Amino acid sequence: MDSPPANPILVTRESDGIARVTINRPKSLNSLTRQMMEDLAGAFKALDADGSVRVVILSGSGRSFCSGVDLTAAEDVFKGDVKNPETDPVVQMERCRKPIIGAIAGFAITAGFEIALACDVLVASKDAKFIDTHARFGIFPSWGLSQKLSRIIGPNRAREVSLTAMPVTAEQAERWGLVNYVVEASELLKKAQEVAEAIIKNNQDLVLRYKAVINDGFKLDLHHALLLEKERAHDYYNGMTKQQFKKMQEFIAGRSSKRPSKL
């Protein structure tokens, strides 16, 4: 069993408000130990609380995004306190108010696939492959793959992906709406950076609110999701002062004279 490096979860914060989280165990294709899972959860909890961070880019080092849980320590992972949300990386990613951009290179397998699905935007390199091996190895999904994937690519495709453990290529993932962009491997982090910079140019408070209403509404039927949007819009505008409305008008006037950012 390959021992994790000294810092298997790397976190860097840049002055422009972009934080980078890197799964850093390349010799094991970034497979996750129990400690790495806890560290990843802690990283996203801390970044959510950090007011200087506006967007997070998540990637893996080496030739894989994340090849799943380290099965050489499976009992330690699966029989531990798996219901504790504080140490669950997917729960903490879902609780993170900041937009998360996943930069997927190489393999995103099983738990790695589920971590990718917890991102808000996915950029994949041409060599990326998404694989669900739960059924192959007798592992019951617990980070959302059985429910999220069908809602993104449809139940028939999701059943095929999960029941056959078939690899989904980057091109297929883009066609099915699973990833936003497919780029050359050398351009992966650059493209993720471009998306992050485009988000940062917008109103930070509204970005956080918009992400929340999309994600919260997606859990509801359309009727109740529309009611949720109306309710939050009402609360938002009622809470605005005259000065804030004036700043909004000034912001819109200033932006109208500039060309929109290009992705």
Side-chain angles (χ1 to χ4, degrees), residues 55 85 97 101 109 153 156 163 183 185 193 200 205 213 224:
V55 182
R97 296 165 299 156
I101 301 166
I109 302 176
I153 68 174
N156 285 0
L163 302 184
V183 298
Q193 178 83 15
I200 285 175
D205 179 52
V213 77
H224 288 96

Side-chain angles (χ1 to χ4, degrees), residues 108-166:
I109 302 176
T110 313
F113 198 163
E114 292 176 301
I115 288 171
L117 290 177
C119 297
D120 299 298
V121 177
L122 290 177
V123 182
S125 63
K126 289 184 176 180
D127 67 343
K129 287 184 174 63
F130 300 84
I131 310 173
D132 180 6
T133 62
H134 282 104
R136 178 175 295 170
F137 294 110
I139 302 168
F140 204 93
S142 61
W143 281 355
L145 211 158
S146 68
Q147 303 304 310
K148 291 180 181 178
L149 188 61
S150 62
R151 287 163 168 79
I152 297 171
I153 68 174
N156 285 0
R157 284 175 174 156
R159 280 190 286 264
E160 182 181 10
V161 169
S162 297
L163 302 184
T164 67
M166 63 173 278

Side-chain angles (χ1 to χ4, degrees), residues 178-196:
L178 178 60
V179 305
N180 300 72
Y181 300 98
V182 175
V183 298
E184 297 289 345
S186 60
E187 298 292 310
L188 181 64
L189 293 178
K190 179 181 177 183
K191 187 63 182 180
Q193 178 83 15
E194 287 179 6
V195 176

